[in-house]
Amino acid sequence: MKTGLQQHAGLRQELKVNPRLYQAMDLLYMPLLDLQQHLKQELLTNPFLELVEPEEEDDDASESDETGEAQDLTEPEAAAEQEPEKTGDDDVDWEAVLLDGFETGGQREEQEQREYFEPVTVDTRDLSDHLTEQLSLLDLSPRQMFLAEEFVGNINDDGYLACPLEEIQRGVNDVLQRAAEERDVDTDVPSFTEPEMAAMLQVIQDLDPPGVGARDLRECLLLQLRATGQGGSLAWRLVDEAFEELIAHRWSELSKRFGISAQAVQAAHDEIAKLDPKPGLRFSAGSDNYIIPDLVVEKIDGQYHIFLNDGNLPRLKLSRAYQEIARDKKRFDTESKDFIANKLNSANWMIQAIEQRRQTMLKVMHYIVDRQRDFFERGVQGLRPLTLREVAEAVGMHESTVSRVTNEKFVQTPRGVLPLKFFFSSGLSTSDGDDVSARGIKDQIGKLVSGEDPRNPLTDQAIVEILQQTGVQIARRTVAKYRDQLGVLPARMRKRV
C-alpha cells in the first residue's frame, strides 16, 4: 500500500446547526432570572446593544404622537425596518445597515451613571458552628478538642456521624504521626485509643440537638428518648429491642412479645413518631430559593388573560451612538469591519430572539389555559391529560421547543404559583369516553385515604372499586404506584387497633 498524502473529490451532505439557533434555544431554556443576567452580560460585551430607559420610552412615544414620524416613513425605510440586514463574510453594505436601524428616534441623551452594589449573602450559622460553640464551653484539653473537632467535621447535615469510629481514629492518628515527623520530635506522640474514641463520642452525643452524632436512625431515636427522660420506657424498649418489627407495624407480634396490648404498642409508636429523625436539619444553612413567575394568568370579566412578567427584564435596542461612529466605513480596515459586522449582527439577532421567546411562551401558555380551563375553575380535579407532543402539534412547534419553554418556568395563577410542568400529565380513560388526568387521580386517592376509617383502612383494591364507581378505569398496581408517590403506607401499616 502506497503511503503519503492524497486528495479525493467527493460530494456529501451535512446537517449543521447555526450557532444563532443554539443561542435562541438557550434563551428559550433560561428562566427569568437567568435571562436577566444573560442580557446584562450581553450589554457589557456588545457595544451595539443599549438599554432602553423608561423615561426614554415615554419621550419617544410623545414625540411620535406629536410629529407623526412613524406614519411618514417612506416605503424603502419601512421595508428596512421590517426586514433586518443580513451580513456575513461578504462585503458589508454599511449604508443600508447603519442608516436603517431599528430605532427612529434621535441620539440617546447622556444618563447619570449610578453605582451598582452587588447583593451580599448574609452569613448564617450551621450545625458545625452550633456544635463547635458548645465544645468551647466544655473543659476539654487541647488533645480532646482536636479529637472533638474531628468528630464535628465528620457529622453530616442530618446530624449523623458519616463514618465509622475506626476510620476517624485512623485519620487523627495519621495526622499526629505526620506532625511529629515534621517537627522531628524523638518522643512518640501517644495515639488515640478506642476508649478515648468512645468517650469523645459520648461527649458529642450529649450536645444539642438531641440525637446528634448518632450512627443510625435507631441510635438517634434512643438518644432523643434518653434526653427527654424516657430511658427504660416502653418506647425505649421497642426501639432498642424490636426496631425492625416496630417500623414494620407488627402490632400483634409486639404485643405478644412484650406481654402488653396492641393499643399500648401503638401509643408508644405515636410517641416515637414525634421524635426528629434528622435533628441536624434545623441548623442547616439552606439557601432561600425565591420563585419569580415568568407568566401571569388573571381572570378579568370572566375571561383568562395571559401576561408576561418581564417588567424587570432589560429592554434592548441598537445604540445610535455606535452606529454614528461606524457609519464611516472607510475609516476601518478589514479586521475592524468583520468585528463590527459580527457585533451588529449579534445585536440584531439578540433583539429578534428575545421577541421570538416572548411570542413562543405566550403561544404555549394560551393553549395550556384553553386546554386546562376546568382546572382554573374547579381545581386539581379539573386537570385534563396533556403532553408536550399535543401542545407542539397545536402551536406548530417541535416537541423539544415546547420542552424548553416549559422547563423551570413558573406561572402565577388564581390558584397559586405553579410550574408549567404541573399542567402536563398522563391520562386515564373513563366509562363515558373522556380522559382524566393522573394528577387528578392522585388527588382523589389522597382524599380517600385522609377520610378513611383508621380501624378499617382502604386497601388498594377497595380504592380501585371506588374509583370505578366514578367511571375511572384504573388497575390496582396503578393505584399502588400513585399511593407510593404520595407517600401513603399500605393499608396494613395504616391500620389502628
Side-chain angles (χ1 to χ4, degrees), residues 127 157-160 209-213 220 224 276-283:
L127 178 62
D157 293 338
D158 294 338
Y160 289 86
V212 70
C220 178
Q224 295 183 57
D276 189 356
K278 297 180 179 181
L281 287 184
R282 71 183 73 171
F283 298 96

Side-chain angles (χ1 to χ4, degrees), residues 104-121:
T104 59
Q107 183 173 350
R108 176 176 176 269
E109 296 182 359
E110 294 293 334
Q111 300 289 334
E112 180 182 358
Q113 296 293 331
R114 301 179 183 177
E115 186 175 0
Y116 174 72
F117 296 95
E118 184 72 20
V120 180
T121 304

Side-chain angles (χ1 to χ4, degrees), residues 157-384:
D157 293 338
D158 294 338
Y160 289 86
L161 196 62
C163 59
L165 291 180
E166 296 78 10
E167 186 174 340
I168 299 178
Q169 181 181 4
R170 184 167 55 252
V172 293
N173 286 334
D174 290 343
V175 173
L176 290 179
Q177 184 65 29
R178 288 196 300 268
E181 293 175 356
E182 292 177 358
R183 294 195 303 267
D184 194 16
V185 179
D186 296 333
T187 58
D188 293 335
V189 179
S191 301
F192 287 98
T193 62
E194 293 184 4
E196 286 181 296
M197 302 298 295
M200 183 52 63
L201 176 62
Q202 183 65 41
V203 172
I204 296 298
Q205 291 180 347
D206 287 338
L207 299 177
D208 181 77
V212 70
R215 288 161 287 188
D216 52 34
L217 177 59
R218 175 176 168 274
E219 186 177 19
C220 178
L221 297 177
L222 290 174
L223 290 174
Q224 295 183 57
L225 289 171
R226 185 185 66 184
T228 55
Q230 300 184 59
S233 63
L234 176 59
W236 171 283
R237 294 177 57 195
L238 290 174
V239 175
D240 186 35
E241 303 174 19
F243 188 63
E244 295 298 330
E245 292 82 356
L246 181 67
I247 61 178
H249 292 201
R250 297 172 183 167
W251 310 135
S252 299
E253 296 181 15
L254 291 173
S255 63
K256 294 178 182 178
R257 177 176 175 180
F258 289 90
I260 56 178
S261 64
Q263 290 83 353
V265 175
Q266 284 190 346
H269 173 268
D270 293 340
E271 291 297 323
I272 297 171
K274 298 177 183 178
L275 303 178
D276 189 356
K278 297 180 179 181
L281 287 184
R282 71 183 73 171
F283 298 96
S284 63
S287 58
D288 296 328
N289 296 323
Y290 298 98
I291 295 177
I292 298 180
D294 301 79
L295 296 153
V296 178
V297 177
E298 293 183 359
K299 188 175 184 180
I300 303 175
D301 297 333
Q303 298 294 327
Y304 289 99
H305 298 267
I306 302 171
F307 308 94
L308 276 170
N309 187 28
D310 58 354
N312 294 328
L313 196 67
R315 295 193 59 187
L316 307 180
K317 70 171 185 178
L318 289 180
S319 173
R320 299 293 284 181
Y322 276 93
Q323 290 186 67
E324 293 292 339
I325 296 176
R327 184 175 306 227
D328 188 3
K329 59 183 180 180
K330 297 181 181 179
R331 296 170 50 189
F332 306 105
D333 53 18
T334 304
E335 183 177 354
S336 299
K337 286 183 178 181
D338 293 339
F339 172 79
I340 294 174
N342 291 333
K343 290 298 182 181
L344 185 57
N345 280 338
S346 177
N348 285 333
W349 179 261
M350 177 62 66
I351 295 174
Q352 296 176 19
I354 293 298
E355 180 61 25
Q356 182 65 30
R357 178 184 185 273
R358 296 178 73 256
Q359 298 301 327
T360 303
M361 292 183 63
L362 286 174
K363 189 181 297 185
V364 170
M365 194 63 212
H366 272 291
Y367 182 81
I368 292 177
V369 172
D370 292 340
R371 173 71 174 173
Q372 303 290 7
R373 186 178 180 87
D374 289 342
F375 162 76
F376 294 99
E377 297 291 345
R378 300 190 291 113
V380 180
Q381 295 297 326
L383 270 178
R384 302 180 63 184

